[in-house]
Amino acid sequence: MDSQNLPIENLSFDDCWELLANDTVGRLAIVVDAHPEIFPVNYVVHLRNLVFRTAPGSKLWGASMERPTALEIDGYDSATEMAWSVVVRGDTEIVEDQAVKDAVDGLGLEPWQPGEKANYVRLNAKALTGRRFKVNRPDVWNTRLQDRRRASFE
């Protein structure tokens, strides 16, 4: 059976949380000035919510507005030729509790980008979806060199 005929697997909540916990960077989607913006953030999973740190600016402003937010991660395993994606939707809040800040710091939450990131933001998960699927086999003669699928066949 080729990958065109394989079903897309909907991931369980536990599978989604495991993938989120084993990753460190996602794409945060928030509304800024009435239009969507996407920012890469490094995060940790704390009590089945996501926490990231940020400096004053668009992400912090968006988080303080407590508007709907989403974070997406994805990946590809060249050994199994499987791709996956997880999306968390919810709202954001500024973390004020020092015990929570200490707990997430203990999980290894430290900024990747230079500069002070003293503000902690929690994405309270309200909806969680994920899927996994077998990717199409690439045409190694015509597929772009940077296509991740090529690693499975080279």
Side-chain angles (χ1 to χ4, degrees), residues 1-9 74-85 131-139 143 147-153:
M1 181 184 302
D2 68 25
S3 58
Q4 292 288 348
N5 297 321
L6 291 175
I8 294 174
E9 173 190 1
D74 55 40
Y76 174 65
D77 182 347
S78 61
T80 63
E81 300 174 21
M82 299 294 285
W84 54 266
S85 174
R131 63 189 200 136
R132 182 179 359 240
F133 58 92
K134 185 122 176 133
V135 299
N136 286 326
R137 295 179 75 89
D139 176 343
T143 303
D147 191 316
R148 292 185 201 174
R149 298 173 300 160
R150 290 179 65 95
S152 303
F153 305 98

Side-chain angles (χ1 to χ4, degrees), residues 71-121:
L71 183 130
E72 189 263 350
I73 63 170
D74 55 40
Y76 174 65
D77 182 347
S78 61
T80 63
E81 300 174 21
M82 299 294 285
W84 54 266
S85 174
V86 174
V87 176
V88 181
R89 293 188 317 264
D91 53 22
T92 54
E93 66 177 321
I94 308 301
V95 175
E96 302 290 349
D97 185 335
Q98 188 60 48
V100 173
K101 292 178 184 181
D102 293 342
V104 296
D105 285 345
L107 295 171
L109 181 61
E110 57 181 85
W112 282 20
Q113 188 177 34
E116 186 168 344
K117 310 275 191 249
N119 302 288
Y120 292 65
V121 177

Side-chain angles (χ1 to χ4, degrees), residues 17 20-21 43-51 88 93 95 97 99-104 107 122-126 128:
W17 281 116
L20 284 161
Y43 68 89
V44 295
V45 174
H46 179 254
L47 302 176
R48 291 224 164 167
N49 289 296
L50 305 179
V51 181
V88 181
E93 66 177 321
V95 175
D97 185 335
V100 173
K101 292 178 184 181
D102 293 342
V104 296
L107 295 171
R122 177 178 23 243
L123 170 53
N124 297 306
K126 305 288 185 200
L128 180 64

